[in-house]
Amino acid sequence: MEKTSNASQTANRNETIAQTVGGNSKYSKKGMILIKTFKPLLLFLLIFYSAKVQAQRIILVDSITKAPLSFVAIEFEDSGFYSSISGEFDLKMVISDSLKIRLLGYKTKKYKTSTLKDTIFLQANSYQLDEVTLTRNQDKTKNIKFLKGAKSFGSWPLQPKSEIITSIKPSEEIKNHYVDKIIIPFSKVIEKKELKNKKIKAYVRIHIYNSINNNISESLYSSPPKDVNSFTKDIVTFDISDEMILLNENGIFIGLELIGYYLDSKAHERANSVIRPQLTSKTNDYFKSNSFLRFVFKNYEELVPLNEMINKENPSGKVMCRNLNIGLELSK
């Protein structure tokens, strides 16, 4: 009896396995029907999701020239990032249902993320100017060399996504001159050898703002990005002779922005800054200065006095006065 029972159990088990493998089970049949029914839907959802992921790559271009715009500020909820060198950004990086797009010299725009398409066209700002007759003699140039650097607190470790801004209040001697070149020296920074070999580029640009009642007004000019060699004592010259920037009695503000560090055109995070624009404690007879810091994605409108931050960090307690060291080439 026992042998017969075991044989019967084995036969039943084999029959069950055969039914399952062979597709004879009623549950297996239902499963096959469901798969056949929903297979087209699953394929559609997969294709739709893939297209959506690809569509999240957005490029920012000039509305007239259609040229890509590098390092545009993408802002959301007191945070943000820059578009790439090629003007692109990934919408997945925006952790908000809306964003603000800002580039000096262009109209700032706000968008709902759900409405964005793969291309955003930015419109350049236009200013209504009174009709004037401009005369200029570039043969009459004046070179104002940058001053001697300070011995202590002689440079500032400029962090990515921040801007050091200095006012230029001209004396009678250089009033109503045009600014042809802006020269900014950088201190050499000692870094580890392996960082040198990585060929990390630090991209900077300058912004020029109008001055009204000693306050920053509208943007007059933003330069194309330049990479600074942070491992040598570098001097960067910005040629703006075609921009017709006039030093009137109100003066101007000049801002130096560190966009960030890039390796092979891709953003590269750094724990410590290796860009140190020089500071000076000296003054000259040509213009008076006052320097500030501004953070691009946090309290953008707020200007923090540079000397306030320096004196907080000064262990000696001695009051120091430092300004961004700038040289100018002028013409009239």
Side-chain angles (χ1 to χ4, degrees):
M1 291 294 292
E2 184 178 352
K3 289 183 178 179
T4 303
S5 176
N6 289 339
S8 177
Q9 291 176 0
T10 302
N12 290 335
R13 185 169 61 250
N14 290 340
E15 182 181 358
T16 302
I17 293 172
Q19 287 176 349
T20 303
V21 173
N24 293 326
S25 169
K26 62 179 181 179
Y27 299 106
S28 178
K29 288 180 179 179
K30 288 183 178 180
M32 292 299 293
I33 292 171
L34 287 172
I35 290 173
K36 288 180 180 180
T37 302
F38 289 102
K39 186 176 180 180
L41 179 60
L42 291 172
L43 288 173
F44 172 77
L45 291 174
L46 181 61
I47 294 171
F48 175 79
Y49 177 76
S50 299
K52 186 178 179 181
V53 170
Q54 292 178 358
Q56 287 179 324
R57 201 72 183 169
I58 296 173
I59 185 168
L60 297 147
V61 301
D62 184 285
S63 62
I64 304 298
T65 66
K66 306 301 185 292
L69 298 171
S70 303
F71 306 126
V72 180
I74 314 298
E75 302 177 5
F76 53 93
E77 298 180 358
D78 290 330
S79 184
F81 55 88
Y82 295 102
S83 66
S84 68
I85 296 175
S86 58
E88 296 181 323
F89 74 95
D90 193 336
L91 190 57
K92 290 187 294 184
M93 296 175 64
V94 180
I95 50 175
S96 175
D97 61 357
S98 64
L99 57 83
K100 181 191 293 185
I101 295 178
R102 180 172 50 77
L103 179 65
L104 290 177
Y106 288 82
K107 294 180 180 179
T108 299
K109 289 288 189 73
K110 291 183 179 180
Y111 296 92
K112 291 284 186 182
T113 54
S114 59
T115 64
L116 288 177
K117 297 181 180 180
D118 58 357
T119 305
I120 297 176
F121 299 92
L122 298 187
Q123 294 179 319
N125 280 324
S126 58
Y127 300 104
Q128 185 68 38
L129 300 176
D130 296 332
E131 185 176 348
V132 294
T133 302
L134 299 176
T135 59
R136 186 177 184 184
N137 186 353
Q138 288 186 309
D139 293 332
K140 295 182 179 180
T141 61
K142 183 179 291 292
N143 293 314
I144 303 174
K145 295 182 179 181
F146 52 82
L147 299 166
K148 186 177 180 180
K151 291 184 179 180
S152 60
F153 287 89
S155 62
W156 184 258
L158 192 61
Q159 298 297 319
K161 304 176 182 179
S162 67
E163 182 181 10
I164 182 169
I165 302 173
T166 192
S167 60
I168 303 293
K169 186 79 170 180
S171 66
E172 288 294 326
E173 187 173 351
I174 66 169
K175 189 174 70 175
N176 295 326
H177 280 66
Y178 292 97
V179 183
D180 290 336
K181 293 181 181 179
I182 297 172
I183 303 99
I184 300 177
F186 290 80
S187 294
K188 181 179 178 180
V189 178
I190 305 300
E191 285 292 327
K192 294 180 180 179
K193 185 178 179 180
E194 56 266 27
L195 293 180
K196 286 187 181 183
N197 294 337
K198 284 185 178 180
K199 298 181 180 179
I200 296 172
K201 291 185 176 181
Y203 280 96
V204 301
R205 59 186 166 197
I206 61 164
H207 307 295
I208 301 178
Y209 309 92
N210 204 358
S211 175
I212 297 180
N213 297 325
N214 296 320
N215 293 315
I216 283 184
S217 183
E218 76 272 8
S219 170
L220 299 175
Y221 171 76
S222 289
S223 75
K226 280 194 174 188
D227 61 281
V228 177
N229 186 345
S230 56
F231 304 112
T232 64
K233 190 175 182 180
D234 207 355
I235 298 174
V236 179
T237 299
F238 296 90
D239 189 336
I240 61 169
S241 54
D242 293 335
E243 304 303 321
M244 303 295 286
I245 303 296
L246 185 66
L247 266 178
N248 59 28
E249 59 185 7
N250 293 320
I252 58 175
F253 285 86
I254 297 175
L256 174 70
E257 177 188 6
L258 172 57
I259 298 164
Y261 302 103
Y262 287 77
L263 178 61
D264 297 329
S265 299
K266 294 182 180 179
H268 183 82
E269 294 295 331
R270 293 298 307 273
N272 298 310
S273 175
V274 294
I275 290 296
R276 301 185 72 103
Q278 283 189 13
L279 304 179
T280 182
S281 59
K282 306 294 184 180
T283 59
N284 60 42
D285 297 328
Y286 300 106
F287 60 83
K288 293 181 179 179
S289 292
N290 199 6
S291 297
F292 306 87
L293 287 172
R294 176 159 69 180
F295 300 95
V296 176
F297 296 108
K298 185 177 180 181
N299 299 328
Y300 178 73
E301 301 300 328
E302 181 182 0
L303 296 182
V304 181
L306 178 64
N307 288 318
E308 181 180 300
M309 299 190 69
I310 288 176
N311 288 308
K312 281 182 179 179
E313 297 180 10
N314 182 14
S316 69
K318 182 181 177 181
V319 177
M320 291 186 172
C321 183
R322 301 286 185 271
N323 279 302
L324 179 64
N325 207 355
I326 288 181
L328 298 175
E329 185 176 300
L330 308 173
S331 65
K332 191 172 184 180

